[in-house]
């Protein structure tokens, strides 16, 4: 039984920071065996969009909307990925999800999704 547990969402003011975490369990090989780990978000009335991802070889990708403000890291020893979100703006308000084998518009075979964690940024 594969499970992705997320935490760290909340309500903050413009300019503040949040750190999301996502722990994978039940998947053979854990995060180290994944082609890529990704973070996504979906705002009300909008399509889901990729935010950040890290490939097994260490390459990172970020959407233009968050580049320079968000940083994704991966701790394979703990099967956990993190999304450090700084300088938050109201446009970052969304439900955030992590996923295995997914990055931006690409989805692989061993693709699993977390329950969402809500991030709300107020001005």
């Amino acid at each position: 039984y594969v499970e992705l547990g997320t935490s760290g969402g909340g309500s903050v003011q413009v300019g503040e920071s949040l750190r999301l975490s996502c722990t994978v369990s039940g998947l053979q090989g854990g995060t180290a065996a994944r082609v890529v780990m990704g973070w996504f978000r979906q705002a009300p009335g909008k399509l889901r969009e990729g935010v950040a991802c890290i490939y097994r070889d260490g390459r990172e990708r970020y959407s233009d909307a968050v580049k320079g403000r968000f940083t994704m890291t991966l701790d394979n020893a703990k099967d956990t990925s993190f999304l450090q979100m700084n300088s938050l703006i109201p446009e970052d308000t969304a439900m955030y999800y992590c996923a295995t084998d997914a990055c931006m518009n690409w989805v692989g075979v061993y693709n699993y999704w977390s329950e969402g964690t809500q991030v709300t940024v107020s001005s």
Side-chain angles (χ1 to χ4, degrees), residues 42-106:
Q42 187 167 19
K46 294 188 176 181
L47 296 175
R48 185 180 66 199
E49 62 174 348
V51 173
C53 51
I54 295 179
Y55 288 88
R56 189 160 55 202
D57 64 4
R59 287 177 296 134
E60 300 176 24
R61 287 187 64 189
Y62 296 93
S63 68
D64 289 342
V66 307
K67 198 173 297 182
R69 300 187 297 119
F70 290 13
T71 302
M72 181 179 176
T73 56
L74 188 58
D75 185 343
N76 288 325
K78 297 181 178 179
D79 289 330
T80 300
S81 68
F82 300 95
L83 185 68
Q84 178 66 42
M85 306 184 295
N86 298 330
S87 302
L88 285 162
I89 58 178
E91 290 75 13
D92 294 321
T93 296
M95 190 72 77
Y96 283 71
Y97 304 85
C98 68
T100 63
D101 285 0
C103 178
M104 305 303 167
N105 294 321
W106 182 87

Side-chain angles (χ1 to χ4, degrees), residues 15-32:
E16 294 184 340
S17 300
L18 282 173
R19 188 193 195 206
L20 307 182
S21 65
C22 171
T23 299
V24 179
S25 61
L27 191 59
Q28 188 173 9
T31 55

